[in-house]
Amino acid sequence: MTADDSYDRIDDDDYPAYTMGRAAEMLGTTQGFLRAIGEARLITPLRSAGGHRRYSRYQLRIAARARELVDGGTPIEAACRIVILEDQLEEAQRLNAEYQRAAGSVAPTAVA
């Protein structure tokens, strides 16, 4: 990857731009928390050539939501499951709205 490729991906929410240390710092949490939510399969960080975990902005948003729940007293496993279900619901609602828009653009057939 060239420097130009990295610049093109600066706005990509899925680009793994953050090291574990930086991600933990941004979230105000520990690296252990990031490992725990990884073990719970909430997020799967990409690995660098050297084997270091790298996180995307999307993954950091997911981790931040899990942290909110854990800080509120929810066990980490339950918090991860809640976040997964919230994400699935959001995607289902997005798809449903898309299907409804598509159905609305199709002219109803005339009944004779």
Side-chain angles (χ1 to χ4, degrees):
M1 178 182 306
T2 66
D4 289 335
D5 292 338
S6 295
Y7 184 75
D8 289 342
R9 301 187 97 183
I10 200 162
D11 292 329
D12 184 352
D13 270 357
D14 295 318
Y15 182 68
Y18 304 98
T19 63
M20 178 180 267
R22 179 69 178 125
E25 180 182 311
M26 291 170 68
L27 294 171
T29 190
T30 65
Q31 293 181 15
F33 176 79
L34 290 173
R35 280 190 215 78
I37 63 174
E39 289 170 9
R41 298 184 189 269
L42 177 60
I43 57 176
T44 303
L46 194 69
R47 296 286 182 147
S48 68
H52 300 283
R53 291 173 178 91
R54 306 283 295 189
Y55 298 88
S56 68
R57 286 188 295 204
Y58 172 75
Q59 289 174 322
L60 294 183
R61 283 195 301 275
I62 295 290
R65 176 64 180 132
R67 181 170 182 237
E68 287 175 19
L69 292 167
V70 170
D71 287 351
T74 305
I76 196 162
E77 297 81 15
C80 290
R81 185 67 182 139
I82 289 167
V83 173
I84 289 167
L85 291 170
E86 287 174 343
D87 197 48
Q88 289 173 345
L89 176 60
E90 184 179 323
E91 178 66 8
Q93 289 172 330
R94 185 192 66 75
L95 288 171
N96 189 33
E98 192 176 298
Y99 293 143
Q100 287 179 348
R101 277 192 302 277
S105 67
V106 175
T109 57
V111 178

